[in-house]
């Protein structure tokens, strides 16, 4: 069978005030064109269809039309919710999706069988897919309790819970004449971030080891990290990456989708198919005089100016680069006194760690307050 694996569309993304709607239309048209040309048996969208939990009607139309067009290529289509998506809102679309022949799983349901999808290709290859939407730490505990796998003790980690849930969903991966697949929206230890992900859901204990996936899986289609990459593990594990760079931190990524060919008795063969419709993101830096000599690259720009701040500087740079979405004094050249130390201290630290440091600096290191912060942060960031 042939699989088209994509994820992290982030439809509705606004970059520094600039709507990406037209780019998304072109990008998704490119994904659909690849599906029309390659004729996959199955299309998997591994989460983050939207950039926000409250997508606009225009974003909703764009996503539903893209899913419908992918289904019209003749492929089975399975999409799961990511951390940017509103799981219950996606599940509210399930009647429409089922009528269109699309499998949509926004959140974890009480019956684990709802997350196991079976199918057969036109050529007769049988397949089974375990589809796990994004789970917050709190809902991971709840899911474990729903499935009555074990008592959810407070000392257990997020990875423990995810491992138990995936074991439950893949316990049927035993038939030798069936292709076994997994899709999930999560961070695997050792994988490289793309540069534009939501930090709170890639750190703070959200990373899980590759060992949570069964060795009997023929392919694991992941979403969440925006850089296309293979992950070492007990089976073929891969992030498709985002088909559009959502932030300047992703300017070095190559947007693509992943195509997989596999049978029940042969190993997965994987290749990337570039998606080049979106405007490229670039960073340029220099003094005003140096910038005046630069030929602006095509795409959206971030400009780091190697000048002392002064009135009118931004406007002068904007005249040079009309497509500059972000203009800043180069932080490497003109740091605010003392800010370098603070940035270094904060770099890579989770909100929980930063709040704990704040409490300690004020002489209020109280575990109860820390637990309340964790609960509130989880609530507002879900």
């Amino acid at each position: 069978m042939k699989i088209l694996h994509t994820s992290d569309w982030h439809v509705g993304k606004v970059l520094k005030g600039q709507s990406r709607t037209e780019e998304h239309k072109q990008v998704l048209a490119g994904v659909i064109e690849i599906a029309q040309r390659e004729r996959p048996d199955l299309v998997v969208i591994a989460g983050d269809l939207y950039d926000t939990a409250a997508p606009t009607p225009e974003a909703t139309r764009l996503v539903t039309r893209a899913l419908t067009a992918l289904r019209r290529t003749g492929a089975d289509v399975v999409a799961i919710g990511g951390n940017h998506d509103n799981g219950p809102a996606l599940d509210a679309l399930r009647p429409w999706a089922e009528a269109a022949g699309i499998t949509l799983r926004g959140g974890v349901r009480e019956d684990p069988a709802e997350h196991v999808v079976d199918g057969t290709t036109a050529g007769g290859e049988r397949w089974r897919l375990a589809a796990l939407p994004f789970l917050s730490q709190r809902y991971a505990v709840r899911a474990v309790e729903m499935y009555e796998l074990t008592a959810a003790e407070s000392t257990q980690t997020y990875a423990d819970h995810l491992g138990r849930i995936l074991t439950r969903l893949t316990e049927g991966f035993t038939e030798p004449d069936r292709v076994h697949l997994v899709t999930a929206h999560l961070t695997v230890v050792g994988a490289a971030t793309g540069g534009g992900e939501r930090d709170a859901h890639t750190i703070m204990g959200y990373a899980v080891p590759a060992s949570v996936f069964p060795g009997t899986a023929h392919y694991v289609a992941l979403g969440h990290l925006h850089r296309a990459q293979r992950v070492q593990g007990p089976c073929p594990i891969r992030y498709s990456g985002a088909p559009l760079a959502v932030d300047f931190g992703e300017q070095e990524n190559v947007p693509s989708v992943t195509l997989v060919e596999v049978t029940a008795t042969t190993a997965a063969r994987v290749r990337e198919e570039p998606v080049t419709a979106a405007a490229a993101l670039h960073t340029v830096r220099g003094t005003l005089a140096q910038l005046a000599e630069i030929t602006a690259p095509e795409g959206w720009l971030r400009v780091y100016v190697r000048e002392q701040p002064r009135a009118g500087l931004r406007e002068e740079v904007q005249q040079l680069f009309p497509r500059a979405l972000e203009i800043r004094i180069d932080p490497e050249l003109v740091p605010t006194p003392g800010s370098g130390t603070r940035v270094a201290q904060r770099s890579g630290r989770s909100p929980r760690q930063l709040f704990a440091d704040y409490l300690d600096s004020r002489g209020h290191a109280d575990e109860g307050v820390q637990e309340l912060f964790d609960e509130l942060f989880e609530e507002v960031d879900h």
Side-chain angles (χ1 to χ4, degrees):
M1 67 181 296
K2 182 183 285 189
I3 304 160
L4 190 156
H5 166 205
T6 179
S7 71
D8 297 277
W9 290 358
H10 288 274
V11 175
K13 174 67 179 179
V14 176
L15 177 60
K16 310 300 180 183
Q18 174 65 45
S19 170
R20 311 292 298 282
T21 299
E22 291 305 315
E23 292 176 78
H24 263 120
K25 290 178 181 178
Q26 296 170 23
V27 164
L28 294 182
V31 174
I32 293 163
E33 190 278 329
I34 292 171
Q36 291 170 336
R37 183 177 68 246
E38 295 288 341
R39 295 292 173 181
D41 300 291
L42 172 65
V43 175
V44 177
I45 303 101
D48 280 355
L49 286 82
Y50 298 104
D51 190 61
T52 171
T56 64
E58 184 177 29
T60 302
R61 281 194 299 270
L62 184 52
V63 166
T64 54
R65 287 174 179 175
L67 294 175
T68 301
L70 289 169
R71 175 63 180 141
R72 285 175 178 166
T73 66
D76 286 302
V77 177
V78 178
I80 62 173
N83 60 307
H84 282 252
D85 295 317
N86 184 326
L90 285 181
D91 282 329
L93 291 174
R94 283 182 59 172
W96 162 82
E98 289 168 4
I102 297 164
T103 301
L104 189 59
R105 297 292 181 265
V108 173
R109 308 298 285 263
E110 291 189 9
D111 182 1
E114 289 202 42
H115 296 279
V116 179
V117 184
D118 288 333
T120 303
T121 70
E125 190 78 56
R126 299 165 63 235
W127 55 269
R128 172 167 289 173
L129 171 68
L132 181 64
F134 174 76
L135 274 173
S136 68
Q137 289 175 319
R138 180 170 28 144
Y139 284 95
V141 174
R142 180 184 172 193
V144 168
E145 291 173 335
M146 283 195 307
Y147 294 174
E148 298 179 349
L149 304 175
T150 182
E153 301 175 355
S154 60
T155 55
Q156 290 177 317
T157 67
Y158 180 78
D160 292 330
H161 297 314
L162 263 292
R164 285 173 167 80
I165 293 166
L166 283 165
T167 296
R168 177 70 177 84
L169 297 182
T170 60
E171 61 186 11
F173 282 19
T174 56
E175 299 180 49
D177 59 345
R178 192 196 300 261
V179 177
H180 301 132
L181 308 166
V182 177
T183 184
H185 192 87
L186 46 74
T187 303
V188 177
V189 174
T193 59
E197 300 88 352
R198 184 175 289 173
D199 284 347
H201 291 151
T202 55
I203 54 178
M204 278 184 63
Y206 270 93
V208 302
S211 58
V212 299
F213 302 110
T216 50
H218 290 81
Y219 182 75
V220 176
L222 296 182
H224 189 35
L225 301 187
H226 296 176
R227 179 178 300 173
Q229 60 192 294
R230 178 187 176 189
V231 180
Q232 293 294 331
C235 55
I237 304 169
R238 186 170 180 83
Y239 287 96
S240 66
L244 175 148
V246 301
D247 193 84
F248 286 103
E250 301 182 8
Q251 64 186 28
E252 301 301 325
N253 296 349
V254 178
S256 64
V257 299
T258 297
L259 291 165
V260 184
E261 294 185 58
V262 63
T263 73
T265 57
T266 59
R269 293 183 296 164
V270 176
R271 60 186 170 92
E272 294 180 21
E273 186 71 23
V275 179
T276 59
L281 304 183
H282 301 282
T283 299
V284 296
R285 63 178 73 212
T287 64
L288 195 62
Q290 291 169 334
L291 293 172
E293 299 297 321
I294 294 176
T295 299
E298 292 292 328
W300 302 115
L301 303 181
R302 175 175 61 181
V303 182
Y304 284 157
V305 189
R306 294 178 177 268
E307 302 267 358
Q308 292 291 339
R310 59 177 172 79
L313 181 59
R314 177 183 178 82
E315 288 73 16
E316 293 179 55
V317 175
Q318 194 77 59
Q319 286 184 345
L320 293 173
F321 301 108
R323 288 176 65 85
L325 299 182
E326 181 179 355
I327 300 172
R328 297 175 53 195
I329 301 300
D330 193 331
E332 296 179 1
L333 184 68
V334 194
T336 303
S339 66
T341 300
R342 288 196 297 273
V343 170
Q345 291 172 341
R346 294 174 181 173
S347 179
R349 296 176 67 79
S350 70
R352 186 183 195 282
Q353 293 168 322
L354 293 171
F355 185 71
D357 290 347
Y358 171 80
L359 290 179
D360 188 62
S361 69
R362 293 295 186 269
H364 297 297
D366 185 309
E367 186 62 29
V369 175
Q370 182 71 63
E371 290 176 0
L372 180 59
F373 173 84
D374 293 345
E375 181 179 346
L376 292 172
F377 185 84
E378 180 69 24
E379 181 68 23
V380 301
D381 200 67
H382 174 62

PDB file of all heavy atoms in Angstrom, residues 78-106:
ATOM      1  N   VAL A  78      -7.487   9.831   7.100  1.00  0.00           N
ATOM      2  CA  VAL A  78      -7.588   9.831   8.562  1.00  0.00           C
ATOM      3  C   VAL A  78      -6.872  11.069   9.080  1.00  0.00           C
ATOM      4  O   VAL A  78      -5.700  11.301   8.756  1.00  0.00           O
ATOM      5  CB  VAL A  78      -6.954   8.567   9.179  1.00  0.00           C
ATOM      6  CG1 VAL A  78      -7.040   8.618  10.705  1.00  0.00           C
ATOM      7  CG2 VAL A  78      -7.627   7.310   8.649  1.00  0.00           C
ATOM      8  N   ALA A  79      -7.566  11.875   9.898  1.00  0.00           N
ATOM      9  CA  ALA A  79      -6.975  13.081  10.486  1.00  0.00           C
ATOM     10  C   ALA A  79      -7.210  13.065  11.986  1.00  0.00           C
ATOM     11  O   ALA A  79      -8.288  12.696  12.459  1.00  0.00           O
ATOM     12  CB  ALA A  79      -7.588  14.340   9.870  1.00  0.00           C
ATOM     13  N   ILE A  80      -6.194  13.469  12.749  1.00  0.00           N
ATOM     14  CA  ILE A  80      -6.305  13.540  14.204  1.00  0.00           C
ATOM     15  C   ILE A  80      -6.058  14.968  14.682  1.00  0.00           C
ATOM     16  O   ILE A  80      -5.474  15.784  13.969  1.00  0.00           O
ATOM     17  CB  ILE A  80      -5.314  12.586  14.907  1.00  0.00           C
ATOM     18  CG1 ILE A  80      -3.852  12.962  14.571  1.00  0.00           C
ATOM     19  CG2 ILE A  80      -5.607  11.133  14.552  1.00  0.00           C
ATOM     20  CD1 ILE A  80      -2.814  12.172  15.366  1.00  0.00           C
ATOM     21  N   GLY A  81      -6.514  15.271  15.884  1.00  0.00           N
ATOM     22  CA  GLY A  81      -6.317  16.589  16.457  1.00  0.00           C
ATOM     23  C   GLY A  81      -4.923  16.740  17.047  1.00  0.00           C
ATOM     24  O   GLY A  81      -4.348  15.786  17.583  1.00  0.00           O
ATOM     25  N   GLY A  82      -4.387  17.964  16.948  1.00  0.00           N
ATOM     26  CA  GLY A  82      -3.099  18.284  17.554  1.00  0.00           C
ATOM     27  C   GLY A  82      -3.275  19.235  18.721  1.00  0.00           C
ATOM     28  O   GLY A  82      -4.397  19.583  19.104  1.00  0.00           O
ATOM     29  N   ASN A  83      -2.157  19.697  19.281  1.00  0.00           N
ATOM     30  CA  ASN A  83      -2.252  20.575  20.454  1.00  0.00           C
ATOM     31  C   ASN A  83      -2.795  21.958  20.117  1.00  0.00           C
ATOM     32  O   ASN A  83      -3.301  22.661  20.986  1.00  0.00           O
ATOM     33  CB  ASN A  83      -0.885  20.699  21.141  1.00  0.00           C
ATOM     34  CG  ASN A  83       0.189  21.270  20.242  1.00  0.00           C
ATOM     35  OD1 ASN A  83       0.420  20.772  19.141  1.00  0.00           O
ATOM     36  ND2 ASN A  83       0.862  22.314  20.687  1.00  0.00           N
ATOM     37  N   HIS A  84      -2.722  22.376  18.841  1.00  0.00           N
ATOM     38  CA  HIS A  84      -3.309  23.651  18.443  1.00  0.00           C
ATOM     39  C   HIS A  84      -4.796  23.519  18.118  1.00  0.00           C
ATOM     40  O   HIS A  84      -5.487  24.535  18.043  1.00  0.00           O
ATOM     41  CB  HIS A  84      -2.583  24.222  17.218  1.00  0.00           C
ATOM     42  CG  HIS A  84      -1.273  24.868  17.537  1.00  0.00           C
ATOM     43  ND1 HIS A  84      -1.080  26.232  17.497  1.00  0.00           N
ATOM     44  CD2 HIS A  84      -0.086  24.335  17.923  1.00  0.00           C
ATOM     45  CE1 HIS A  84       0.165  26.513  17.833  1.00  0.00           C
ATOM     46  NE2 HIS A  84       0.792  25.374  18.083  1.00  0.00           N
ATOM     47  N   ASP A  85      -5.262  22.308  17.900  1.00  0.00           N
ATOM     48  CA  ASP A  85      -6.649  22.095  17.503  1.00  0.00           C
ATOM     49  C   ASP A  85      -7.566  22.050  18.720  1.00  0.00           C
ATOM     50  O   ASP A  85      -7.139  21.768  19.844  1.00  0.00           O
ATOM     51  CB  ASP A  85      -6.778  20.778  16.724  1.00  0.00           C
ATOM     52  CG  ASP A  85      -6.030  20.789  15.415  1.00  0.00           C
ATOM     53  OD1 ASP A  85      -6.107  21.809  14.705  1.00  0.00           O
ATOM     54  OD2 ASP A  85      -5.361  19.779  15.097  1.00  0.00           O
ATOM     55  N   ASN A  86      -8.841  22.289  18.476  1.00  0.00           N
ATOM     56  CA  ASN A  86      -9.879  22.124  19.482  1.00  0.00           C
ATOM     57  C   ASN A  86     -10.470  20.740  19.276  1.00  0.00           C
ATOM     58  O   ASN A  86     -11.278  20.526  18.378  1.00  0.00           O
ATOM     59  CB  ASN A  86     -10.933  23.221  19.313  1.00  0.00           C
ATOM     60  CG  ASN A  86     -12.003  23.181  20.390  1.00  0.00           C
ATOM     61  OD1 ASN A  86     -12.377  22.115  20.865  1.00  0.00           O
ATOM     62  ND2 ASN A  86     -12.494  24.352  20.772  1.00  0.00           N
ATOM     63  N   GLY A  87     -10.047  19.791  20.115  1.00  0.00           N
ATOM     64  CA  GLY A  87     -10.471  18.404  19.936  1.00  0.00           C
ATOM     65  C   GLY A  87     -11.977  18.229  19.902  1.00  0.00           C
ATOM     66  O   GLY A  87     -12.513  17.594  18.977  1.00  0.00           O
ATOM     67  N   PRO A  88     -12.724  18.766  20.886  1.00  0.00           N
ATOM     68  CA  PRO A  88     -14.186  18.612  20.847  1.00  0.00           C
ATOM     69  C   PRO A  88     -14.813  19.229  19.600  1.00  0.00           C
ATOM     70  O   PRO A  88     -15.789  18.698  19.065  1.00  0.00           O
ATOM     71  CB  PRO A  88     -14.642  19.338  22.126  1.00  0.00           C
ATOM     72  CG  PRO A  88     -13.462  19.225  23.054  1.00  0.00           C
ATOM     73  CD  PRO A  88     -12.267  19.336  22.165  1.00  0.00           C
ATOM     74  N   ALA A  89     -14.272  20.360  19.125  1.00  0.00           N
ATOM     75  CA  ALA A  89     -14.815  20.989  17.917  1.00  0.00           C
ATOM     76  C   ALA A  89     -14.580  20.101  16.700  1.00  0.00           C
ATOM     77  O   ALA A  89     -15.450  19.982  15.826  1.00  0.00           O
ATOM     78  CB  ALA A  89     -14.191  22.362  17.703  1.00  0.00           C
ATOM     79  N   LEU A  90     -13.399  19.461  16.622  1.00  0.00           N
ATOM     80  CA  LEU A  90     -13.157  18.527  15.517  1.00  0.00           C
ATOM     81  C   LEU A  90     -14.104  17.335  15.601  1.00  0.00           C
ATOM     82  O   LEU A  90     -14.645  16.875  14.587  1.00  0.00           O
ATOM     83  CB  LEU A  90     -11.703  18.054  15.530  1.00  0.00           C
ATOM     84  CG  LEU A  90     -10.633  19.029  15.053  1.00  0.00           C
ATOM     85  CD1 LEU A  90      -9.262  18.374  15.124  1.00  0.00           C
ATOM     86  CD2 LEU A  90     -10.910  19.503  13.625  1.00  0.00           C
ATOM     87  N   ASP A  91     -14.316  16.848  16.817  1.00  0.00           N
ATOM     88  CA  ASP A  91     -15.226  15.712  16.960  1.00  0.00           C
ATOM     89  C   ASP A  91     -16.658  16.082  16.586  1.00  0.00           C
ATOM     90  O   ASP A  91     -17.426  15.226  16.151  1.00  0.00           O
ATOM     91  CB  ASP A  91     -15.167  15.178  18.395  1.00  0.00           C
ATOM     92  CG  ASP A  91     -13.935  14.313  18.640  1.00  0.00           C
ATOM     93  OD1 ASP A  91     -13.473  13.665  17.687  1.00  0.00           O
ATOM     94  OD2 ASP A  91     -13.433  14.297  19.770  1.00  0.00           O
ATOM     95  N   ALA A  92     -17.008  17.367  16.762  1.00  0.00           N
ATOM     96  CA  ALA A  92     -18.346  17.813  16.355  1.00  0.00           C
ATOM     97  C   ALA A  92     -18.534  17.715  14.849  1.00  0.00           C
ATOM     98  O   ALA A  92     -19.672  17.660  14.356  1.00  0.00           O
ATOM     99  CB  ALA A  92     -18.592  19.247  16.826  1.00  0.00           C
ATOM    100  N   LEU A  93     -17.426  17.684  14.098  1.00  0.00           N
ATOM    101  CA  LEU A  93     -17.489  17.548  12.636  1.00  0.00           C
ATOM    102  C   LEU A  93     -17.548  16.090  12.189  1.00  0.00           C
ATOM    103  O   LEU A  93     -17.608  15.816  10.985  1.00  0.00           O
ATOM    104  CB  LEU A  93     -16.278  18.224  11.992  1.00  0.00           C
ATOM    105  CG  LEU A  93     -16.199  19.753  12.070  1.00  0.00           C
ATOM    106  CD1 LEU A  93     -14.862  20.233  11.522  1.00  0.00           C
ATOM    107  CD2 LEU A  93     -17.344  20.390  11.298  1.00  0.00           C
ATOM    108  N   ARG A  94     -17.515  15.157  13.126  1.00  0.00           N
ATOM    109  CA  ARG A  94     -17.457  13.746  12.745  1.00  0.00           C
ATOM    110  C   ARG A  94     -18.643  13.288  11.896  1.00  0.00           C
ATOM    111  O   ARG A  94     -18.453  12.503  10.948  1.00  0.00           O
ATOM    112  CB  ARG A  94     -17.291  12.867  13.984  1.00  0.00           C
ATOM    113  CG  ARG A  94     -15.858  12.883  14.503  1.00  0.00           C
ATOM    114  CD  ARG A  94     -15.649  11.986  15.703  1.00  0.00           C
ATOM    115  NE  ARG A  94     -15.973  10.598  15.422  1.00  0.00           N
ATOM    116  CZ  ARG A  94     -15.733   9.597  16.275  1.00  0.00           C
ATOM    117  NH1 ARG A  94     -15.151   9.853  17.434  1.00  0.00           N
ATOM    118  NH2 ARG A  94     -16.075   8.363  15.965  1.00  0.00           N
ATOM    119  N   PRO A  95     -19.870  13.738  12.160  1.00  0.00           N
ATOM    120  CA  PRO A  95     -20.961  13.324  11.270  1.00  0.00           C
ATOM    121  C   PRO A  95     -20.728  13.745   9.817  1.00  0.00           C
ATOM    122  O   PRO A  95     -20.980  12.964   8.892  1.00  0.00           O
ATOM    123  CB  PRO A  95     -22.181  14.033  11.875  1.00  0.00           C
ATOM    124  CG  PRO A  95     -21.847  14.186  13.322  1.00  0.00           C
ATOM    125  CD  PRO A  95     -20.374  14.470  13.344  1.00  0.00           C
ATOM    126  N   TRP A  96     -20.244  14.984   9.634  1.00  0.00           N
ATOM    127  CA  TRP A  96     -19.906  15.413   8.269  1.00  0.00           C
ATOM    128  C   TRP A  96     -18.786  14.555   7.700  1.00  0.00           C
ATOM    129  O   TRP A  96     -18.854  14.106   6.546  1.00  0.00           O
ATOM    130  CB  TRP A  96     -19.455  16.885   8.276  1.00  0.00           C
ATOM    131  CG  TRP A  96     -18.694  17.231   7.029  1.00  0.00           C
ATOM    132  CD1 TRP A  96     -19.217  17.554   5.815  1.00  0.00           C
ATOM    133  CD2 TRP A  96     -17.273  17.223   6.858  1.00  0.00           C
ATOM    134  NE1 TRP A  96     -18.202  17.761   4.900  1.00  0.00           N
ATOM    135  CE2 TRP A  96     -17.002  17.553   5.519  1.00  0.00           C
ATOM    136  CE3 TRP A  96     -16.198  16.977   7.727  1.00  0.00           C
ATOM    137  CZ2 TRP A  96     -15.703  17.644   5.016  1.00  0.00           C
ATOM    138  CZ3 TRP A  96     -14.905  17.053   7.225  1.00  0.00           C
ATOM    139  CH2 TRP A  96     -14.666  17.390   5.878  1.00  0.00           C
ATOM    140  N   ALA A  97     -17.744  14.326   8.526  1.00  0.00           N
ATOM    141  CA  ALA A  97     -16.591  13.567   8.041  1.00  0.00           C
ATOM    142  C   ALA A  97     -16.995  12.142   7.657  1.00  0.00           C
ATOM    143  O   ALA A  97     -16.582  11.627   6.599  1.00  0.00           O
ATOM    144  CB  ALA A  97     -15.501  13.544   9.112  1.00  0.00           C
ATOM    145  N   GLU A  98     -17.798  11.504   8.488  1.00  0.00           N
ATOM    146  CA  GLU A  98     -18.202  10.133   8.197  1.00  0.00           C
ATOM    147  C   GLU A  98     -19.035  10.066   6.919  1.00  0.00           C
ATOM    148  O   GLU A  98     -18.891   9.137   6.116  1.00  0.00           O
ATOM    149  CB  GLU A  98     -18.972   9.569   9.397  1.00  0.00           C
ATOM    150  CG  GLU A  98     -18.065   9.309  10.595  1.00  0.00           C
ATOM    151  CD  GLU A  98     -18.839   9.028  11.868  1.00  0.00           C
ATOM    152  OE1 GLU A  98     -20.099   8.971  11.795  1.00  0.00           O
ATOM    153  OE2 GLU A  98     -18.205   8.877  12.924  1.00  0.00           O
ATOM    154  N   ALA A  99     -19.896  11.075   6.722  1.00  0.00           N
ATOM    155  CA  ALA A  99     -20.698  11.105   5.493  1.00  0.00           C
ATOM    156  C   ALA A  99     -19.818  11.269   4.264  1.00  0.00           C
ATOM    157  O   ALA A  99     -20.144  10.780   3.180  1.00  0.00           O
ATOM    158  CB  ALA A  99     -21.721  12.238   5.569  1.00  0.00           C
ATOM    159  N   ALA A 100     -18.670  11.964   4.452  1.00  0.00           N
ATOM    160  CA  ALA A 100     -17.737  12.181   3.338  1.00  0.00           C
ATOM    161  C   ALA A 100     -16.730  11.049   3.201  1.00  0.00           C
ATOM    162  O   ALA A 100     -15.875  11.091   2.312  1.00  0.00           O
ATOM    163  CB  ALA A 100     -17.007  13.513   3.539  1.00  0.00           C
ATOM    164  N   GLY A 101     -16.802  10.052   4.087  1.00  0.00           N
ATOM    165  CA  GLY A 101     -15.853   8.944   4.028  1.00  0.00           C
ATOM    166  C   GLY A 101     -14.514   9.270   4.656  1.00  0.00           C
ATOM    167  O   GLY A 101     -13.499   8.628   4.341  1.00  0.00           O
ATOM    168  N   ILE A 102     -14.480  10.244   5.564  1.00  0.00           N
ATOM    169  CA  ILE A 102     -13.247  10.698   6.212  1.00  0.00           C
ATOM    170  C   ILE A 102     -13.284  10.293   7.678  1.00  0.00           C
ATOM    171  O   ILE A 102     -14.317  10.451   8.348  1.00  0.00           O
ATOM    172  CB  ILE A 102     -13.104  12.226   6.082  1.00  0.00           C
ATOM    173  CG1 ILE A 102     -12.976  12.629   4.613  1.00  0.00           C
ATOM    174  CG2 ILE A 102     -11.914  12.751   6.882  1.00  0.00           C
ATOM    175  CD1 ILE A 102     -13.214  14.103   4.350  1.00  0.00           C
ATOM    176  N   THR A 103     -12.187   9.786   8.192  1.00  0.00           N
ATOM    177  CA  THR A 103     -12.083   9.437   9.609  1.00  0.00           C
ATOM    178  C   THR A 103     -11.433  10.590  10.350  1.00  0.00           C
ATOM    179  O   THR A 103     -10.288  10.961  10.067  1.00  0.00           O
ATOM    180  CB  THR A 103     -11.263   8.157   9.807  1.00  0.00           C
ATOM    181  OG1 THR A 103     -11.883   7.077   9.094  1.00  0.00           O
ATOM    182  CG2 THR A 103     -11.165   7.797  11.275  1.00  0.00           C
ATOM    183  N   LEU A 104     -12.156  11.182  11.308  1.00  0.00           N
ATOM    184  CA  LEU A 104     -11.678  12.354  12.048  1.00  0.00           C
ATOM    185  C   LEU A 104     -11.718  12.029  13.534  1.00  0.00           C
ATOM    186  O   LEU A 104     -12.762  11.628  14.067  1.00  0.00           O
ATOM    187  CB  LEU A 104     -12.581  13.548  11.727  1.00  0.00           C
ATOM    188  CG  LEU A 104     -12.172  14.936  12.221  1.00  0.00           C
ATOM    189  CD1 LEU A 104     -10.808  15.331  11.659  1.00  0.00           C
ATOM    190  CD2 LEU A 104     -13.227  15.959  11.804  1.00  0.00           C
ATOM    191  N   ARG A 105     -10.588  12.192  14.214  1.00  0.00           N
ATOM    192  CA  ARG A 105     -10.505  11.932  15.644  1.00  0.00           C
ATOM    193  C   ARG A 105      -9.878  13.150  16.332  1.00  0.00           C
ATOM    194  O   ARG A 105      -8.672  13.340  16.287  1.00  0.00           O
ATOM    195  CB  ARG A 105      -9.681  10.664  15.923  1.00  0.00           C
ATOM    196  CG  ARG A 105     -10.285   9.391  15.356  1.00  0.00           C
ATOM    197  CD  ARG A 105     -11.569   9.015  16.063  1.00  0.00           C
ATOM    198  NE  ARG A 105     -12.148   7.771  15.548  1.00  0.00           N
ATOM    199  CZ  ARG A 105     -13.090   7.715  14.616  1.00  0.00           C
ATOM    200  NH1 ARG A 105     -13.536   8.861  14.069  1.00  0.00           N
ATOM    201  NH2 ARG A 105     -13.595   6.566  14.214  1.00  0.00           N
ATOM    202  N   GLY A 106     -10.747  13.967  16.950  1.00  0.00           N
ATOM    203  CA  GLY A 106     -10.253  15.189  17.572  1.00  0.00           C
ATOM    204  C   GLY A 106      -9.676  14.975  18.945  1.00  0.00           C
ATOM    205  O   GLY A 106      -8.674  15.572  19.319  1.00  0.00           O
TER     206      GLY A 106
END
